[in-house]
Structure formats: structure tokens, C-alpha cells
């Protein structure tokens, strides 16, 4: 693990080590109170990769069937953290074969031998909570065929990790890491004999965090949809475990579940995936719907923004737009410069997407994926709508004012949006109008770059006159899902887009900008490398105080309103 650079971080790491070693003196778990039910969902394709010896963690790929998972990327902190959390156990359990079980058992007992006495990496509250949940979830999977002595080693390790959590959960970072630590402590306390005393303090602390870290409308500071889903899943498991053991569930936890669930419904595309913004992915298939069902909350999203996103749904089409300023401060560690970017899904087929998060593919991909050109919105060449601070992972110089208006119109759903992220550097405000027909067959858009005040005009003039060419270069990008087959049509004046369902969409524009079909990438967790895709790019130079670009996306006339579309996972594609 990388050495902490601040006095506080060094002290936290030192005390984690101290308490990890002391935890062995506490009470030991002896057995499961009852048979644990697997609560976490894994990825079969990723599990098969692990069995084959293909290890991809945080952009670091190692191939070797005989390599131990604990020897992968020992000098890479991100890789070590991902492996130590043991989320990969979900993937092996999803495969479920004897070969997968033997691989999982070998690696878990190797962890106990290497790190089980409180030494080495992995002894942080969030990773310990994440690891405990997985070990308990798949307890019988891991214990099948084991001798009693081996089973006792397993239980002793679970007990030690629970005791460690009881001492160190307070130093977990607010947000998802703290929720993971507390949920792991509760789950372990309820599931393991001899650990019951740790339940109530963790429940009380979790209730307080639900009250302070989840706002009244169900949002979190990071604005990461997949992170919000992870929190809902943890809370669902906590509520389920407390109810099954006849323990009282605090009202704060129930209120958090009630507030989060409608937000996630608003961020759900027609194919069951999440909108991919601010470091979040589409989510493991089925996980979102499972969490929504498990919550027991049937409320639909209210009007207006949901965690800063606006959803428009007409016919079979769903549109989700990033319509608020990005996260600030520490909450922006994984945030993207995606303001006014959107994703569009037709039925169960994604059409327009963002590139996604590159966090699993290394630091270069991570930084590139956070920039404005990786999103389906307008960007100024060489500048993102929010600046990524050099040498840090935080966003700075984010838009100060982001507006979203949804006026009532006849025959369409309309959004009027704007942000001022380019005013300090170029004196320009980006405004975007999106209008979807009620049958969902047509999406009309308009992007405007405008200098609104005399001061803006002065700043624009300074940038406009800089060599080598006059004007401000811009590009409006529309990233396509890899399953979309796109080609230039009408002598280069349009782009035809064919979905796997058989639907055909046609993209056209007003001719103000130059249109091109360019390469793009689709970054998806669970794959060994980024997927190649395409993007439609409208590029030009803003020469005046106002530049307007109009475009449209429409289903071809011979595409029916209803398409029978049976989505079947292509495992070969997933393993690529």
C-alpha cells in the first residue's frame, strides 16, 4: 500500500494496525447463528476470467492460472484495495462450479494465513466491512467440504475482523466507506455466535449517518448513481437482518430507504441499467431491480431534479440529463465534468451514452473519462466544463450556476438547461434545449454558446483573437453504445444508427457545424479492456457572441412503435 503522506493519515494507518493485532484478544466467533443467504450479486463473466487466471483490477491486468490473487499488483494501492475488499467472491460464487469454489476457498484461507493476524494491507474499516459481508454471504460456499479445524479458523477470522470494526469504524470516510463499515459490523454481529454485543452501537451509528449523509430528497454528496445503489443495498440488507432477528429498525434507516428508492427509479434506464455519471457504472445486471424490489418502497420519483439529474420518459425512450453542478470538495474525487451531458435509451437498448468511468482501466483512462469530451454534451476544445486539479483527484472551477427548466408544452416534453462553466475562461455560457415528442420517436436539440454580459463579450474577444485561428473551437459529441451500428447517410448529411433490436434512428443537423463519425470507447466494469465504439461529432468555431447548433434524432419512418426485443447476454462479448 502507498505510504500515507499526512500526519493524520499516518496516525490512522498506525492505529488500524494496532487495533487489527489487538482484535485477536477479543471474543471469537464460533459458528453462524443461522444459515446465511447470499445477498450480493456477482458477474459470471468476471468470475470465469478469475478462474482462467485473468486478473483485472483497477486497470492492472495480470495473466497466469497459477498466480495467487494476493500477488497481483502488490505495489498498486488501488489494486490492493479492490482485491482486499473481496468483491470478487461474488463473481466466483456467481459461477458456482466446484472449480470456482475451490479457487475461492484457496484464496480465502491464504488470506487468513497471510493477513489474518492483523498484519499487511486490508485492515481499514471500509475494506473490512466489505470483506465481512462477502465472507458471510458466501459462508457455506467457502465452508463446503472443509474440516472442522479449518471451519474454526474461518470463524475466528470473522470474529477478529468484527472486533476490529467495532474499534475503528469511526475513522472510515463519510459516505459509502462508513456505510460499508457499519453494515458489515451489523451483519457480522447478527450472523455470528458471540458477536451480538456489537450490533446496537453499529445500528445507532448507521441511523445517525442516514440522517446526516443522505439528504431529504434521497441524494448523496458524490452524485454517483451506482454508489447510491450500493448504499441502498447495504441498508436493505441491514433492515432485512434486523427484522429477521426481531431487532428494531430505526426510523432514520427506514426514511433513508424511502427517500433513496424513488431517486434510483428516476436514474434507471429502460434496460434496467443505471445512468453512468460521476464515477458510476451501469451496475451489475439485475442488481438495481433487486434492490428496488427489496426496499418495499413503491413511490415514484417526484417532479424536478433527482440528485441533480433530470429524467424525461416518452413512449419507449428514456432520457437522463446531468442538470446540476458537479460535486465539490472531497465528494468530487471520482466526479466528472459532465454538466448537461445526457444518455438516451430506446426500449432496452442504449443509444447515446457517456464513455463511463475509467477507474478500472488505470489512471490515464480514469482522467480521460472524467473530461467533458468523454460525455455527450458540448465542449470547448482543450477545456472541460470543470477543471481536474493537476496532481489531485478533485474537481475545481466547476460551473457556479446550472439552470434547468421544464416548461409545459403541447405534444412534447421540453428541457431548457444552461451552465456557466466556460464563462471565466471564454466568456461563454452553454445553453441546451432538449425536446422529446410524446411518442418518444423524436428528440430535437439545440446547443447555444453565448456571451451574455459586456464583461463576457470582452473575455470572448480576448480568446477569439488568439492565434493560430480566430474564434473558439467547439465540439458537440454524441457517444454511441458499442452495440449501435452507425454509418453516414444522405451524402454525409445524416448518420443512420441501427440498434440490435432492429430499430433505426437517424441523426441530422442544421449544417452550421461540420459533422463526422469518429472513434470512441465504452468503459465497462467486468471487461478486460475498453470496448471500441463510435461517436457523432459536430465541430466548428464560435465566431460571434452567439453560436447556435441545432440537431435531431428520430426513428426512421419504417421503424414500428413497438419492437419485440429479447435481450440475451453475449458472454463472449462480456469476456473480451
Amino acid at each position: 500500500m502507498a505510504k500515507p503522506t499526512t500526519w493524520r493519515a499516518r496516525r490512522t494507518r498506525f492505529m488500524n494496525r494496532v487495533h487489527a493485532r489487538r482484535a485477536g484478544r477479543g471474543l471469537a466467533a464460533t459458528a453462524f447463528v443461522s444459515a446465511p443467504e447470499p445477498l450480493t450479486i456477482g458477474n459470471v463473466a468476471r468470475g470465469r476470467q478469475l478462474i482462467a487466471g485473468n486478473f483485472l483490477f483497477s486497470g492492472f491486468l495480470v495473466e497466469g492460472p497459477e498466480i495467487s490473487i494476493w500477488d497481483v499488483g502488490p505495489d498498486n494501492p488501488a489494486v490492493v484495495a479492490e482485491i482486499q475488499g473481496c468483491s470478487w467472491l461474488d463473481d466466483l460464487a456467481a459461477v458456482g462450479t466446484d472449480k470456482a469454489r475451490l479457487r475461492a476457498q484457496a484464496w480465502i484461507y491464504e488470506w487468513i494465513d497471510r493477513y489474518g493476524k492483523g498484519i499487511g494491507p486490508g485492515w481499514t474499516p471500509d475494506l473490512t466491512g466489505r470483506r465481512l459481508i462477502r465472507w458471510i454471504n458466501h459462508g457455506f460456499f467457502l465452508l463446503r467440504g472443509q474440516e472442522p479445524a479449518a471451519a474454526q479458523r474461518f470463524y475466528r477470522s470473522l470474529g477478529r475482523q468484527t472486533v476490529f470494526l467495532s474499534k475503528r469504524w469511526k475513522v472510515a470516510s463519510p459516505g459509502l466507506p462508513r456505510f460499508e463499515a457499519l453494515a458489515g459490523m451489523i451483519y457480522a454481529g447478527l450472523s455470528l455466535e458471540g458477536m451480538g454485543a456489537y450490533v446496537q452501537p453499529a445500528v445507532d451509528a448507521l441511523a445517525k449517518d442516514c440522517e446526516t449523509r443522505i439528504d431529504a430528497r434521497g441524494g448523496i454528496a458524490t452524485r454517483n448513481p451506482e454508489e447510491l445503489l450500493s448504499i441502498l443495498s447495504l441498508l436493505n440488507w441491514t433492515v432485512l437482518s434486523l427484522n429477521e432477528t426481531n431487532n428494531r429498525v430505526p426510523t432514520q434507516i427506514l426514511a433513508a430507504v424511502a427517500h433513496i428508492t424513488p431517486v434510483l427509479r428516476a436514474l434507471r434506464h429502460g434496460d434496467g441499467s443505471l445512468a453512468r455519471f460521476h464515477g458510476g457504472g451501469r451496475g451489475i445486471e439485475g442488481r438495481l431491480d433487486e434492490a428496488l424490489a427489496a426496499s418495499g418502497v413503491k413511490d415514484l420519483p417526484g417532479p424536478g431534479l433527482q440528485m441533480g439529474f433530470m429524467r424525461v420518459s416518452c413512449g419507449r425512450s428514456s432520457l437522463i440529463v446531468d442538470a446540476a453542478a458537479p460535486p465539490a470538495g472531497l465528494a468530487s474525487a471520482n466526479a466528472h465534468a459532465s454538466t448537461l451531458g445526457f444518455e438516451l435509451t430506446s426500449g432496452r437498448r442504449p443509444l447515446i451514452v457517456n464513455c463511463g468511468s475509467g477507474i478500472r482501466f488505470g489512471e490515464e483512462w480514469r482522467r480521460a473519462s472524467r473530461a467533458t469530451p468523454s460525455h455527450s454534451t458540448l465542449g470547448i476544445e482543450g477545456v472541460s466544463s470543470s477543471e481536474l486539479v493537476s496532481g489531485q483527484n478533485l474537481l475545481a472551477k466547476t460551473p457556479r450556476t446550472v439552470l434547468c427548466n421544464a416548461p409545459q408544452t403541447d405534444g412534447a416534453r421540453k428541457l431548457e438547461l444552461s451552465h456557466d462553466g466556460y464563462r471565466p475562461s471564454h466568456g461563454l455560457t452553454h445553453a441546451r434545449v432538449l425536446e422529446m415528442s410524446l411518442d418518444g420517436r423524436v428528440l430535437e436539440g439545440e446547443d447555444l454558446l453565448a456571451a451574455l454580459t459586456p464583461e463576457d463579450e470582452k473575455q470572448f474577444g480576448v480568446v477569439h483573437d488568439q492565434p493560430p485561428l480566430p474564434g473558439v473551437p467547439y465540439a458537440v459529441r454524441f457517444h454511441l453504445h458499442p452495440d449501435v451500428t452507425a454509418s453516414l447517410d444522405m451524402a454525409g448529411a445524416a448518420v443512420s444508427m441501427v440498434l440490435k433490436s432492429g430499430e433505426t434512428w437517424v441523426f441530422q443537423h442544421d449544417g452550421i457545424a461540420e459533422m463526422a463519425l469518429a472513434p470512441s470507447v465504452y468503459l465497462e466494469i467486468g471487461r478486460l479492456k475498453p470496448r471500441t465504439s463510435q461517436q457523432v461529432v459536430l465541430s466548428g468555431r464560435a465566431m460571434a457572441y452567439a453560436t447556435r447548433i441545432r440537431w435531431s434524432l428520430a426513428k426512421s419512418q419504417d421503424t414500428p412503435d413497438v419492437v419485440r426485443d429479447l435481450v440475451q447476454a453475449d458472454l463472449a462479448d462480456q469476456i473480451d
Side-chain angles (χ1 to χ4, degrees):
M1 297 286 284
K3 294 182 178 180
T5 55
T6 66
W7 175 86
R8 185 181 298 274
R10 290 195 297 271
R11 185 179 186 279
T12 297
R13 187 182 186 192
F14 173 76
M15 293 306 298
N16 282 343
R17 287 178 172 177
V18 169
H19 283 286
R21 293 178 184 181
R22 286 180 178 174
R25 304 174 189 172
L27 293 174
T30 55
F32 286 123
V33 173
S34 59
E37 292 287 339
L39 300 174
T40 45
I41 300 172
N43 185 302
V44 174
R46 191 168 168 84
R48 290 174 176 171
Q49 292 169 12
L50 292 171
I51 295 170
N54 295 318
F55 302 94
L56 176 65
F57 295 99
S58 297
F60 190 84
L61 175 63
V62 173
E63 298 179 351
E66 304 305 321
I67 295 176
S68 168
I69 198 169
W70 309 115
D71 292 328
V72 176
D75 299 322
N76 187 318
V79 172
V80 172
E82 191 174 350
I83 293 174
Q84 287 284 336
C86 290
S87 295
W88 47 265
L89 258 181
D90 297 337
D91 304 321
L92 291 176
V95 177
T97 62
D98 286 343
K99 194 171 184 179
R101 174 176 56 82
L102 292 173
R103 186 64 57 94
Q105 289 173 332
W107 287 340
I108 293 304
Y109 279 95
E110 187 178 350
W111 187 95
I112 295 173
D113 292 337
R114 289 194 184 196
Y115 313 115
K117 294 183 179 180
I119 60 176
W123 287 96
T124 64
D126 54 326
L127 293 179
T128 302
R130 194 183 310 166
R131 186 169 56 242
L132 268 176
I133 291 172
R134 267 66 188 188
W135 284 28
I136 295 171
N137 272 351
H138 307 300
F140 285 172
F141 181 70
L142 294 170
L143 290 174
R144 191 182 310 158
Q146 297 294 317
E147 297 293 332
Q152 288 308 308
R153 287 175 61 211
F154 180 71
Y155 289 126
R156 280 197 301 271
S157 182
L158 288 175
R160 184 172 203 150
Q161 294 177 66
T162 306
V163 173
F164 169 79
L165 268 186
S166 73
K167 303 296 184 183
R168 300 300 290 164
W169 66 264
K170 291 182 181 179
V171 302
S173 300
L176 180 58
R178 181 83 60 84
F179 280 101
E180 287 182 315
L182 291 171
M185 188 171 154
I186 294 168
Y187 196 36
L190 293 172
S191 301
L192 299 169
E193 290 186 358
M195 297 290 111
Y198 301 114
V199 173
Q200 196 56 49
V203 170
D204 293 340
L206 184 64
K208 184 176 181 180
D209 266 30
C210 283
E211 198 169 25
T212 58
R213 300 298 173 183
I214 299 169
D215 64 37
R217 298 200 63 187
I220 55 177
T222 63
R223 297 191 57 225
N224 180 331
E226 191 172 19
E227 190 171 303
L228 186 65
L229 171 58
S230 295
I231 290 174
L232 177 62
S233 296
L234 291 169
L235 296 181
N236 282 341
W237 302 337
T238 299
V239 171
L240 176 64
S241 299
L242 291 173
N243 283 333
E244 287 182 341
T245 54
N246 296 317
N247 284 278
R248 185 184 67 86
V249 181
T251 56
Q252 297 95 322
I253 296 178
L254 295 174
V257 171
H259 293 152
I260 291 172
T261 303
V263 175
L264 287 174
R265 283 201 172 97
L267 301 179
R268 180 189 183 277
H269 282 299
D271 63 347
S273 68
L274 279 168
R276 303 176 345 131
F277 288 95
H278 298 301
R282 68 189 306 276
I284 296 174
E285 187 173 354
R287 185 185 181 200
L288 173 57
D289 287 343
E290 187 276 334
L292 293 176
S295 72
V297 177
K298 301 185 183 300
D299 294 347
L300 297 176
L305 298 177
Q306 303 292 328
M307 203 167 72
F309 299 96
M310 180 62 82
R311 176 192 178 91
V312 172
S313 183
C314 297
R316 301 179 70 248
S317 300
S318 63
L319 174 77
I320 299 177
V321 188
D322 186 356
L330 295 178
S332 71
N334 293 312
H336 292 190
S338 57
T339 312
L340 305 196
F342 73 88
E343 293 192 316
L344 175 67
T345 297
S346 178
R348 293 188 288 178
R349 297 291 178 178
L351 178 56
I352 306 297
V353 297
N354 296 310
C355 290
S357 172
I359 194 168
R360 294 291 181 94
F361 299 96
E363 188 58 30
E364 290 186 7
W365 277 114
R366 183 184 186 216
R367 289 183 66 86
S369 70
R370 300 176 70 183
T372 298
S374 295
H375 301 84
S376 294
T377 186
L378 178 147
I380 291 177
E381 185 177 311
V383 182
S384 284
S385 56
S386 297
E387 179 181 325
L388 181 60
V389 179
S390 179
Q392 302 181 34
N393 287 322
L394 306 182
L395 291 183
K397 298 181 181 178
T398 60
R400 292 185 178 182
T401 303
V402 182
L403 301 178
C404 177
N405 183 38
Q408 297 293 326
T409 60
D410 294 331
R413 292 284 305 280
K414 188 175 184 179
L415 298 179
E416 298 172 341
L417 311 119
S418 68
H419 79 81
D420 60 357
Y422 299 119
R423 284 188 74 185
S425 59
H426 293 76
L428 294 171
T429 293
H430 173 209
R432 166 167 267 186
V433 178
L434 301 172
E435 190 167 349
M436 183 180 287
S437 62
L438 292 181
D439 59 9
R441 294 180 64 93
V442 179
L443 174 65
E444 294 184 331
E446 179 181 295
D447 285 286
L448 175 70
L449 282 173
L452 302 179
T453 68
E455 291 78 12
D456 291 344
E457 292 177 359
K458 182 178 179 181
Q459 179 63 26
F460 174 76
V462 171
V463 179
H464 177 281
D465 295 336
Q466 290 180 354
L469 295 173
V472 174
Y474 67 83
V476 188
R477 301 177 186 274
F478 304 86
H479 295 275
L480 307 181
H481 189 273
D483 290 341
V484 177
T485 301
S487 59
L488 291 173
D489 204 353
M490 297 173 60
V495 176
S496 293
M497 308 171 183
V498 181
L499 281 61
K500 280 194 171 181
S501 62
E503 289 185 1
T504 299
W505 288 73
V506 178
F507 180 93
Q508 295 178 287
H509 68 114
D510 61 4
I512 298 297
E514 294 185 7
M515 185 174 68
L517 195 56
S520 182
V521 294
Y522 187 78
L523 303 167
E524 187 174 8
I525 293 172
R527 293 184 180 267
L528 297 181
K529 57 186 178 182
R531 298 177 69 184
T532 58
S533 61
Q534 295 176 290
Q535 60 176 312
V536 178
V537 183
L538 301 178
S539 59
R541 303 185 74 85
M543 305 296 293
Y545 293 143
T547 301
R548 192 185 310 271
I549 309 102
R550 293 186 176 94
W551 50 268
S552 66
L553 260 171
K555 288 185 184 180
S556 65
Q557 293 183 353
D558 57 354
T559 296
D561 288 332
V562 179
V563 177
R564 186 178 184 185
D565 182 16
L566 302 178
V567 177
Q568 295 180 344
D570 188 337
L571 292 180
D573 281 348
Q574 292 183 35
I575 295 175
D576 286 344

